[in-house]
Amino acid sequence: MEPQTLAMAFWFLLVIVLITLFLLVRQQRTTRALRVRAERAEERARTLAEEERHLVEARLPALAESLGHRPVEVPGPKRPEAAANHERVLALFAGSVRQATERGEQSARATLKSMMRAVQSLSNEQQVAISAMQERHDDPDVLAGLMRVDHMNSQLNRRAQATAVLCGSWPGQQRSASPLTDVVRGATSRIRDYLRINLPAESDVAVVSRAVEPVVLAVAELLDNAARHSPPNTSVEVNFQQAHNGMVVMIDDGGVGMTVEELNRAARLLAGGGASDINRLGDPPQVGFAVIGVLAERYGFRVSVDTRSPYGGVRAVVFLPTELLTRVSKPTMPDNAVALPPEQRRPPTAAVDDAVLGRTPGGLPRRRRTQPADQGAPSSAVPVPTPTDQRIATGLAAWKRGTESGRATTPPPPVAEGNTQA
């Protein structure tokens, strides 16, 4: 073979080898790049899957719980670059939860408001019937029983009224301006342990007409709370104190006080921040502070329970600004049995004890002597009740005077059970 032919064959083979090596190197680089790309895609898929699990298992549940007005911190994404679209998901989820919550709250409020208005209407009708019976009967035993029923009916009406207010309704009663002492006395008449409340001296400071019923309801809730959370053998002290821009009602009990958590919760509710969701007031619902907060925010007074009572319990402070106050002449109260502690209440003797026969035009109970004035009359002419009956009738008569102003108010109109209008 000629040398020229061999040289050409050598160079041809060399070109083939070089081309082959080039292709092998290129293929290796392409394979490596594809492997790296595949590894990155797999890593991104794992990151996205992990971030989605974090979204479903941690972030969404925390967000749902935080929307329920609870102090829950919503965790952020583990890999922000992998959660670019998750914020839109969270926003849509939060909006859906809020809408569902609002619909549920509105439905619950409408249902409760309708039910409570029906209960209030029936309670007012029952009150009219009780008052009519009190006018007709003279027997102290019958009057004592009627007054007990009257007292229980007042408590029932207060609870229905408080629930209705919490659901967005108005107190539903219109009153004229009333002395501050009568306001507290009216609140005392609406709680179970009214005999344990010590009322202050008469004051010429009065609450303006539009705020009388709201303040009565708020003070009644505070008195009921103080009586229920203090020993049954202790009294609850109520005092007034003049301030430079208003009047203060102080309620002191001898209970065990409140924890820091309870104080924080009470402060939030009393500031008006607890009525947004009635479903989160506990089981059974604790509506007292929430109702007070709604009334205080609506009518412009303030309530706090963060002060220690000198008796070891809680001091509730109701501040009434000057705008809610006026002046009246001091009334003369013939009987302060409700204002005295139980151990200081003395049962009157048969010669001077009176039984309630109704009310005078001035609003005070009519009485008659339980023993005839003519000692020569037969003893069977008028039955003489026992000292226990006399004490019950006298104590309840004194309580009844605290509710007389409420009897003159205009009750809310009857509402059918299916009607949800305020």
Side-chain angles (χ1 to χ4, degrees), residues 10-349:
F10 172 76
W11 286 110
F12 181 75
L13 291 174
L14 181 60
V15 170
I16 293 175
V17 171
L18 291 175
I19 293 174
T20 303
L21 289 176
F22 174 76
L23 292 175
L24 289 175
V25 172
R26 184 178 180 181
Q27 182 181 6
Q28 186 177 6
R29 288 181 178 177
T30 303
T31 303
R32 187 183 298 114
L34 291 174
R35 185 182 297 113
V36 171
R37 187 179 300 175
E39 290 176 355
R40 289 177 179 175
E42 185 179 354
E43 178 66 22
R44 180 172 176 79
R46 284 198 300 267
T47 301
L48 290 175
E50 182 179 356
E51 194 63 39
E52 288 177 358
R53 284 196 300 271
H54 179 60
L55 174 69
V56 174
E57 296 176 359
R59 301 186 70 188
L60 288 178
L63 177 61
E65 193 170 359
S66 67
L67 292 174
H69 309 288
R70 298 177 183 176
V72 177
E73 182 179 358
V74 180
K78 292 183 177 180
R79 302 278 185 89
E81 67 278 3
N85 296 324
H86 288 182
E87 297 304 321
R88 293 180 59 189
V89 174
L90 292 173
L92 290 173
F93 177 80
S96 300
V97 171
R98 290 192 183 97
Q99 290 178 2
T101 302
E102 289 175 0
R103 286 195 297 268
E105 291 175 1
Q106 291 175 358
S107 177
R109 288 173 183 273
T111 302
L112 276 177
K113 184 189 295 186
S114 176
M115 294 175 61
M116 292 304 103
R117 291 297 299 272
V119 171
Q120 285 182 276
S121 179
L122 292 174
S123 176
N124 290 329
E125 292 179 9
Q126 181 171 276
Q127 184 59 62
V128 172
I130 293 173
S131 298
M133 293 182 67
Q134 289 173 341
E135 295 287 346
R136 292 196 306 268
H137 292 279
D138 297 344
D139 186 89
D141 292 336
V142 175
L143 287 172
L146 288 174
M147 289 180 183
R148 290 193 188 95
V149 176
D150 193 359
H151 186 206
M152 290 184 284
N153 188 68
S154 296
Q155 297 177 70
L156 173 64
N157 193 45
R158 174 178 66 86
R159 294 184 181 275
Q161 187 179 15
T163 305
V165 168
L166 194 61
C167 294
S169 181
W170 296 90
Q173 292 185 348
Q174 298 296 327
R175 299 189 179 208
S176 58
S178 300
L180 196 54
T181 307
D182 287 351
V183 169
V184 177
R185 185 178 289 113
T188 302
S189 69
R190 301 187 187 187
I191 70 171
R192 178 185 295 271
D193 297 322
Y194 67 95
L195 292 175
R196 293 171 52 196
I197 309 300
N198 288 347
L199 299 182
E202 297 292 336
S203 172
D204 61 345
V205 177
V207 180
V208 297
S209 175
R210 69 180 182 87
V212 170
E213 184 63 20
V215 174
V216 168
L217 185 57
V219 173
E221 293 293 337
L222 292 172
L223 291 175
D224 182 66
N225 188 70
R228 285 189 294 107
H229 291 86
S230 58
N233 59 340
T234 62
S235 60
V236 176
E237 301 290 335
V238 182
N239 293 286
F240 301 146
Q241 181 173 325
Q242 185 75 43
H244 73 281
N245 58 346
M247 197 76 174
V248 172
V249 180
M250 296 181 296
I251 302 172
D252 294 305
D253 66 60
V256 297
M258 301 173 67
T259 64
V260 175
E261 181 180 355
E262 291 172 339
L263 287 173
N264 292 335
R265 176 180 180 274
R268 177 175 61 85
L269 295 175
L270 292 174
S276 58
D277 189 358
I278 60 177
N279 298 314
R280 293 183 175 88
L281 294 177
D283 185 16
Q286 300 176 0
V287 303
F289 286 155
V291 171
I292 296 171
V294 171
L295 294 171
E297 184 179 26
R298 186 181 295 174
Y299 290 91
F301 58 92
R302 297 198 305 271
V303 181
S304 64
V305 292
D306 55 358
T307 306
R308 190 76 173 178
S309 167
Y311 308 106
V314 174
R315 166 172 285 182
V317 178
V318 181
F319 174 74
L320 303 173
T322 307
E323 294 77 12
L324 300 182
L325 301 176
T326 184
R327 292 282 179 179
V328 295
S329 58
K330 288 187 178 181
T332 303
M333 297 301 294
D335 194 340
N336 64 342
V338 176
L340 295 176
E343 63 271 14
Q344 297 181 13
R345 296 189 181 93
R346 300 176 181 175
T349 61

